[in-house]
Amino acid sequence: VASAMITHHPSLLRLRAPLPAGLRHRTSHALLFTAPAYSPPPPPLRLLPLCVAAGGASPVGPDGGNRATPPPLGAAALDFARSNFLPLALIGGMTLGLLDPTLGCLAHKYSLSKYSTFGIFVISGLTLRTKELGAALQAWPAGLFGLGSILLLTPFLAQYIVQIQFFPREFITGLAMFCCMPTTLSSGVTLTQLAGGNSALALAMTVISNLLGIMFVPLSLAKYIGAGAGVALPTKELFRSLVNTLLTPLILGKVARETSKGIAEFVDGNRQGFSVMSAVLLSLVPWIQVSRSRSLLLSVKAKAFAIIVIIGVLLHLALLAFNATTLQVLSCLKQKEESVFARKEYARAVILVASQKTLPVLVAVVEQLGGALGESGLLVIPCVAAHINQIIIDSILVNLWRQRDQRSTGAK
């Protein structure tokens, strides 16, 4: 009876099923002693998350569900550096130039900034898709507005800036001259690519504004700043420099992309790496400029330098606000179909490119003036600060745009 109870009891029936074959033919008495000692095989091993193995919080919540855990400190720092690579590179270059200008001055001696600009536009040509060129042609109204903002609006503001009473006087004069310059040769295009804007439109505005700037810059300087100072520009030299640093590398990169399918596939598969490379090349320009101007920067009173930096920042923020607001107003004029002014890729290209001013052209102009408008070094200092600040501000803006795009993509 006991044997029958043991054999047919429901709870013991559950124990009999998983027994190994060697135990199935034993007597019930043997089963009585061996069944309690037997336990089912343990579950397979599972790798715990790294934070749990290291003593961090468990990813399992009290209700058995997954619980979000913060990333390790190193991973968070790496993610921050990746998301803010360009402003960090710019700040790092400036800091290096201030601490030790030796390398920066050596880089200037061998014209490293020219090679870096050449490399930036080679990368722009390599990453330039043909469909982007067609899209840029369709967005000609946006490009025309951008050119008007670059060549007409900001030079008009120069006449009001030059009226500010400031000492040293060259600071205000230099900042007013900066307003008369065309757009940046490389940073606007690089930032447009990082922001997901139409790089072909940015390139078109960059090339055309700098070519037209050969005619517009002398007129603007003579009218708003240098009345009676005999302002003149080396037209042939500037034109040759623009062709060599903008058009030639751009064409080389584009030809390499179109003639080799392997190059095109490699570039498209490593766009993020090429963007980082462009950012590194771009950061060389302010590093060299700060290294060259270090002695003058340290000789200027901190208060005067801080005030002129603030004025330059406010000027750039005003240009960003004006271009963004005007594009928003223009986008509302066309109701039947989407306006080119409302397209995100076009608007970002115009806002970034039309709000920036180039430093190399200003340096060339100051050198040609020969001190007609003041001490050359003091004229350049506020423009170096304004050039660096506009890139930092715009890189922060680009990061905000990219984060918003990531959130909207994740929401979809």
Side-chain angles (χ1 to χ4, degrees):
V1 176
S3 175
M5 290 178 63
I6 294 173
T7 305
H8 299 289
H9 195 276
S11 62
L12 293 178
L13 283 174
R14 289 193 295 270
L15 290 174
R16 293 183 64 187
L19 289 178
L23 297 178
R24 291 177 183 174
H25 301 290
R26 297 186 182 183
T27 62
S28 58
H29 296 285
L31 181 64
L32 182 64
F33 295 100
T34 58
Y38 173 76
S39 59
L45 292 175
R46 297 175 61 188
L47 293 177
L48 294 176
L50 183 61
C51 60
V52 177
S58 172
V60 181
D63 56 351
N66 292 333
R67 182 172 63 190
T69 57
L73 183 59
L78 184 62
D79 183 66
F80 176 81
R82 187 184 298 113
S83 302
N84 301 275
F85 181 79
L86 181 56
L88 290 176
L90 293 170
I91 295 173
M94 293 168 54
T95 304
L96 180 61
L98 287 173
L99 293 177
D100 187 1
T102 306
L103 288 177
C105 294
L106 186 63
H108 171 69
K109 179 181 178 181
Y110 291 99
S111 302
L112 184 61
S113 60
K114 293 182 180 179
Y115 294 112
S116 67
T117 303
F118 188 92
I120 287 172
F121 279 93
V122 169
I123 293 174
S124 298
L126 288 171
T127 57
L128 181 60
R129 297 188 177 99
T130 303
K131 64 179 182 180
E132 292 179 342
L133 291 172
L137 293 176
Q138 295 177 358
W140 66 265
L144 190 62
F145 164 75
L147 291 175
S149 177
I150 294 168
L151 298 173
L152 298 177
L153 171 70
T154 44
F156 180 78
L157 295 178
Q159 63 180 332
Y160 299 103
I161 294 177
V162 79
Q163 294 177 7
I164 300 175
Q165 300 300 319
F166 196 83
F167 181 83
R169 184 64 189 169
E170 286 88 346
F171 276 12
I172 286 295
T173 303
L175 200 58
M177 293 175 63
F178 194 61
C179 292
C180 298
M181 297 298 116
T183 189
T184 51
L185 299 178
S186 54
S187 59
V189 178
T190 303
L191 289 168
T192 298
Q193 291 175 337
L194 294 174
N198 188 280
S199 57
L201 179 60
L203 280 167
M205 287 189 292
T206 298
V207 173
I208 295 174
S209 67
N210 278 275
L211 292 176
L212 293 178
I214 296 174
M215 297 179 293
F216 276 83
V217 169
L219 295 175
S220 299
L221 290 176
K223 182 177 181 180
Y224 299 124
I225 302 171
V231 174
L233 278 180
T235 304
K236 293 182 180 180
E237 289 78 4
L238 283 178
F239 184 82
R240 189 183 301 113
S241 176
L242 291 173
V243 170
N244 291 335
T245 57
L246 273 74
L247 290 180
T248 301
L250 177 65
I251 293 173
L252 288 176
K254 182 60 178 173
V255 169
R257 177 183 177 87
E258 296 300 326
T259 55
S260 175
K261 185 178 179 181
I263 292 177
E265 292 178 350
F266 176 78
V267 172
D268 291 339
N270 297 274
R271 281 186 168 265
Q272 186 176 3
F274 279 94
S275 297
V276 171
M277 194 182 305
S278 294
V280 171
L281 293 175
L282 179 61
S283 65
L284 296 179
V285 177
W287 168 55
I288 294 173
Q289 292 296 335
V290 170
S291 299
R292 289 182 60 198
S293 307
R294 180 179 180 272
S295 58
L296 281 173
L297 286 171
L298 296 179
S299 66
V300 174
K301 292 183 178 180
K303 182 179 180 181
F305 182 73
I307 293 175
I308 203 66
V309 167
I310 293 174
I311 294 175
V313 168
L314 294 176
L315 174 64
H316 184 63
L317 292 177
L319 291 177
L320 287 172
F322 170 80
N323 290 318
T325 304
T326 306
L327 286 174
Q328 186 69 28
V329 172
L330 292 174
S331 65
C332 298
L333 299 179
K334 198 171 184 179
Q335 301 293 340
K336 294 183 180 180
E337 57 184 15
E338 186 181 16
S339 170
V340 294
F341 299 104
R343 297 280 296 273
K344 179 177 66 176
E345 60 270 24
Y346 301 148
R348 290 181 178 180
V350 173
I351 291 172
L352 291 171
V353 174
S355 302
Q356 293 188 0
K357 294 296 176 180
T358 183
L359 183 64
V361 176
L362 178 129
V363 173
V365 171
V366 170
E367 291 176 353
Q368 292 298 319
L369 290 177
L373 296 179
E375 174 63 35
S376 298
L378 294 178
L379 289 172
V380 171
I381 284 178
C383 303
V384 172
H387 176 83
I388 296 171
N389 287 331
Q390 70 184 2
I391 298 176
I392 293 176
I393 293 171
D394 290 351
S395 63
I396 294 173
L397 178 62
V398 167
N399 285 333
L400 293 176
W401 281 340
R402 295 177 65 180
Q403 291 173 8
R404 188 174 66 181
D405 292 343
Q406 292 173 358
R407 287 196 297 268
S408 61
T409 303
K412 294 178 182 179

